[in-house]
Amino acid sequence: MSRTLTSIGRTGAAFAALAILLIALWLGAAIGETAIPFSTVAQTVANRLWNAGYPLEPIDEGIIWSYRLSRAVVAASCGAALALSGAVLQSLLRNPLADPYILGISAGASTGAVSIAILGFGAGMLTMPLGAFLGALIAFLLVSVLAVKAGRGTAAIILAGVAGSQLFNALTSFIVTKAATAEQARGIMFWLLGNLSGVRWPDAWLAVPAALVGLAVCLWHARALDAFTFGSEAAASLGISVRRTYLALVGVSAMMTAVMVSIVGSIGFVGLVIPHAARMLVGVRHGVLLPAAALIGAVFMIVADILSRTLIPGQVLPIGVITALVGAPAFALILGQRRARA
């Protein structure tokens, strides 16, 4: 009986999460500088997916399908992936400050993507997502080596991450300054702040599978992550292959971060703040924490995208600016609450 009730509860939670995500996507497609009725959004989706034949203005239908809905889908995928990466890294490293941005993974991915886009590394055989993935892995390996040399402590990991971030950010700036044209430099610098303006459905076909695969791999290792909460030695004593689990989870975190950075640029605070918010809401068990973090991250990024398009009339702000403006005070509030509970 209890198993049946648990199954029903999980099914209900899954449907509720899906409903929340669909509502957020609906809002992302409807809200903007040009107000479009919610019914028009539903009719546009019905026309595109099922040839429903609703008579709509071509301009409104084009804005919803080709611009806003694709942005909302990519934003949701990006938020979910970065939140998952942050939750996994914080658990693996047992460090509440770990996230792809602070540990230099985002900076390394940016350098890899810019190297492909501007310098043409790989002679056309490497794409921007693959270049970003290689850059993310190199950055994490460098940070890991620095942390080991410095003593493996929490402070050492964070300091190594800061050093790695500064190094790869400097390399990115050097490449842009040295090799990019004026037009390329403007585009790259705006992209590095987080930019959804140029995303379309081909980007969504890359972002959505990356986020779903990442969620599946992380959920597969949820029990291992629970064990890592007590340290790698405790995980090993429970029969968990520490090295294989570590490589798999770091690899999938780097993959998700690299794919999202190659599409929208480097975005901070999502991987840092969202996992903490999810733990406050659902607890620390990763079987529940990971999907909750993914959902909150997805909704947060959709809302951030809406704000980036509506805060200043006639101008689109970089989404990284919005996440930092919201994330920094939110993280300060979370830290204050954690201190008060301690």
Side-chain angles (χ1 to χ4, degrees):
M1 183 68 178
S2 60
R3 289 184 178 180
T4 302
L5 292 175
T6 301
S7 178
I8 293 174
R10 289 178 178 176
T11 303
F15 276 112
L18 180 61
I20 292 171
L21 181 59
L22 290 176
I23 291 172
L25 290 171
W26 198 352
L27 292 173
I31 299 175
E33 192 172 354
T34 301
I36 296 178
F38 293 107
S39 60
T40 304
V41 175
Q43 291 170 354
T44 297
V45 174
N47 285 349
R48 294 285 181 161
L49 296 182
W50 302 293
N51 295 318
Y54 289 108
L56 299 174
E57 290 289 336
I59 294 178
D60 289 345
E61 190 170 1
I63 289 174
I64 292 171
W65 184 258
S66 301
Y67 180 64
R68 291 186 186 173
L69 191 57
S70 60
R71 282 180 66 126
V73 170
V74 172
S77 302
C78 181
L82 293 178
L84 280 171
S85 297
V88 166
L89 292 173
Q90 288 168 13
S91 297
L92 281 180
L93 302 175
R94 301 179 66 195
N95 190 326
L97 295 178
D99 88 317
Y101 193 83
I102 289 179
L103 292 183
I105 296 177
S106 294
S110 298
T111 302
V114 168
S115 298
I116 298 298
I118 295 179
L119 299 180
F121 281 175
M125 298 180 65
L126 295 178
T127 60
M128 279 185 64
L130 183 55
F133 178 67
L134 294 175
L137 283 180
I138 292 171
F140 189 80
L141 289 174
L142 176 62
V143 169
S144 299
V145 170
L146 289 175
V148 169
K149 295 288 186 182
R152 297 187 179 183
T154 299
I157 295 173
I158 297 302
L159 290 174
V162 171
S165 294
Q166 293 299 317
L167 172 62
F168 284 98
N169 285 333
L171 285 174
T172 301
S173 299
F174 177 78
I175 293 170
V176 172
T177 304
K178 186 70 175 177
T181 64
E183 184 177 352
Q184 283 180 322
R186 284 194 297 269
I188 290 293
M189 296 311 293
F190 190 76
W191 168 77
L192 287 174
L193 292 173
N195 180 23
L196 284 164
S197 296
V199 301
R200 296 296 182 265
W201 283 113
D203 301 302
W205 304 141
L206 178 61
V208 172
L212 291 177
V213 169
L215 177 60
V217 173
C218 293
L219 285 175
W220 181 264
H221 292 88
R223 291 187 177 180
L225 285 169
D226 288 338
F228 269 97
T229 303
F230 303 99
S232 58
E233 293 181 358
S237 68
L238 294 174
I240 294 170
S241 177
V242 173
R243 179 174 298 180
R244 185 174 62 187
T245 302
Y246 190 86
L247 289 176
L249 291 173
V250 168
V252 77
S253 298
M255 179 275 293
M256 289 189 290
T257 302
V259 169
M260 302 311 162
V261 167
S262 69
I263 296 173
V264 303
S266 183
I267 297 175
F269 283 100
V270 177
L272 180 64
V273 175
I274 300 301
H276 287 284
R279 288 188 189 93
M280 293 173 63
L281 291 174
V282 301
V284 297
R285 292 187 60 184
H286 287 84
V288 180
L289 172 64
L290 293 174
L295 175 63
I296 297 171
V299 173
F300 174 74
M301 281 292 289
I302 293 172
V303 173
D305 179 47
I306 293 173
L307 292 175
S308 73
R309 291 184 279 116
T310 57
L311 278 180
I312 302 178
Q315 185 175 349
V316 179
L317 291 173
I319 196 167
V321 173
I322 303 298
T323 60
L325 287 174
V326 176
F331 187 61
L333 180 62
I334 290 172
L335 284 179
Q337 290 183 349
R338 286 172 63 92
R339 184 183 180 92
R341 291 178 182 179

